[in-house]
Amino acid sequence: VVATGFANRLFPLIRYDIGDWITLSRATECPCGRTGRLVDRIEGRREDYIATPDGRLVGRLDHLFKDTVNVIEAQILQSEIEQVVFRIVKRPEYGPNDEEEITRMARLRLGSSIKIEFEHVDRIERTAGGKFRFIVSELNQEELLRELVES
């Protein structure tokens, strides 16, 4: 969705890419009588998934870090199906207990067969829009989804 909002007259957002995907309606007139482009369905953000060695695709893992006060921000990288790397921007108080808790929570969602590594970084790279991708998969997401549907 790329939209323009004039609700804030001091700072209108012109052609702002909010990062969500939608399905447009074929209809061009709202039941209220207004005409224009109509939305059938809001799909939300399209994000990468973590592929597990046992054939599952897992998304929405941001809750792994919600209660970890010693993590400033985090990102999950997957370059191969057998492992993930948690990129962590840590506070000075961050320690082994934090990694143990993150690993424990990750095992509940990802299982025991995937290798989990930690990489401590100074910052998480941002997109052109100033946001960062929480899951970055270097695997072919379309192929993974197709395989999951066909199995």
Side-chain angles (χ1 to χ4, degrees):
V1 174
V2 177
T4 299
F6 295 107
N8 182 341
R9 295 188 327 166
L10 296 175
F11 192 75
L13 297 173
I14 299 172
R15 296 191 48 75
Y16 179 67
D17 183 352
I18 64 172
D20 285 343
W21 290 78
I22 61 170
T23 301
L24 289 174
S25 173
R26 292 179 185 235
T28 57
E29 186 173 331
C30 178
C32 71
R34 295 186 86 167
T35 60
R37 301 197 94 171
L38 302 177
V39 174
D40 262 349
R41 188 171 62 244
I42 298 173
E43 315 248 346
R45 303 260 162 109
R46 288 197 182 161
E47 298 176 341
D48 287 351
Y49 293 92
I50 297 297
T52 63
D54 61 359
R56 294 178 300 120
L57 294 179
V58 182
R60 304 302 314 169
L61 292 168
D62 55 322
H63 66 280
L64 297 179
F65 304 97
K66 291 276 192 233
D67 295 329
T68 313
V69 296
N70 295 326
V71 173
I72 297 171
E73 57 188 20
Q75 182 180 65
I76 303 172
L77 170 68
Q78 186 172 34
S79 300
E80 53 191 79
I81 204 157
E82 296 83 17
Q83 114 176 3
V84 292
V85 177
F86 290 163
R87 292 178 172 160
I88 307 287
V89 178
K90 59 184 183 171
R91 295 191 189 287
E93 301 81 17
Y94 181 91
N97 290 342
D98 294 297
E99 288 189 7
E100 289 173 16
E101 181 61 15
I102 293 167
T103 301
R104 186 185 71 74
M105 295 295 292
R107 290 275 174 235
L108 294 173
R109 293 291 305 278
L110 300 175
S112 59
S113 61
I114 195 164
K115 184 178 178 183
I116 296 173
E117 292 187 2
F118 288 84
E119 177 184 334
H120 303 125
V121 297
D122 293 328
R123 63 182 298 275
I124 304 291
E125 184 179 331
R126 300 300 201 256
T127 65
K131 300 177 181 176
F132 71 87
R133 293 171 49 204
F134 181 68
I135 295 176
V136 176
S137 176
E138 295 176 348
L139 306 177
N140 184 327
Q141 295 284 299
E142 288 182 25
E143 185 178 313
L144 292 168
L145 286 167
R146 188 172 33 257
E147 288 174 8
L148 186 65
V149 170
E150 291 173 357
S151 64

